[in-house]
Amino acid sequence: EVRPMLVGLFISVGCLLLVEMAVQSGSPTLATIAATLPTGIPLSVYIVHSAGDSDALTVFLEGAVKGTVATLAWTLTALLLHKKYQVGFPVLVGMAYVVWFLVFSVLNGHLWGRKNATN
């Protein structure tokens, strides 16, 4: 269905515009609020829920929790790299994504040969 995709695109672009406007107005707090609004997950829940498969929605939501934990690890890594090491943007983002991937993989049992029953 095209409508959820268009709504999601509109909301995502709107959030990015809010971040830009907040930064331009000198409000990092407002930029943080706009950047961390839960937009992708609720829209994705709507799409998965629309398919009518309760088991798929359960698996999706469990995965979303794991992804959210990995995203927290990404943010903490970026903060640490910025405050303690003053690394450049490409290194900051790249290393944060490495940490995200590792945390997500561990939470899903994809490292060290462990298999997750839901995958």
Side-chain angles (χ1 to χ4, degrees), residues 27-101:
S27 177
T29 300
L30 185 57
T32 300
I33 292 168
T36 59
L37 282 169
T39 56
I41 292 175
L43 291 169
S44 298
V45 166
Y46 172 73
I47 293 168
V48 174
H49 184 269
S50 296
D53 184 347
S54 179
D55 292 337
L57 183 58
T58 299
V59 171
F60 172 83
L61 291 169
E62 289 170 349
V65 169
K66 295 170 186 176
T68 301
V69 170
T71 299
L72 177 60
W74 188 101
T75 306
L76 291 171
T77 300
L79 178 63
L80 173 71
L81 290 171
H82 171 69
K83 287 183 80 172
K84 188 162 176 101
Y85 301 105
Q86 294 293 309
V87 299
F89 178 76
V91 172
L92 184 143
V93 171
M95 291 303 296
Y97 271 113
V98 166
V99 169
W100 184 95
F101 175 77

Side-chain angles (χ1 to χ4, degrees), residues 5-6 9 28 68 92 95 119:
M5 184 176 62
L6 291 176
L9 181 63
T68 301
L92 184 143
M95 291 303 296
N119 290 340

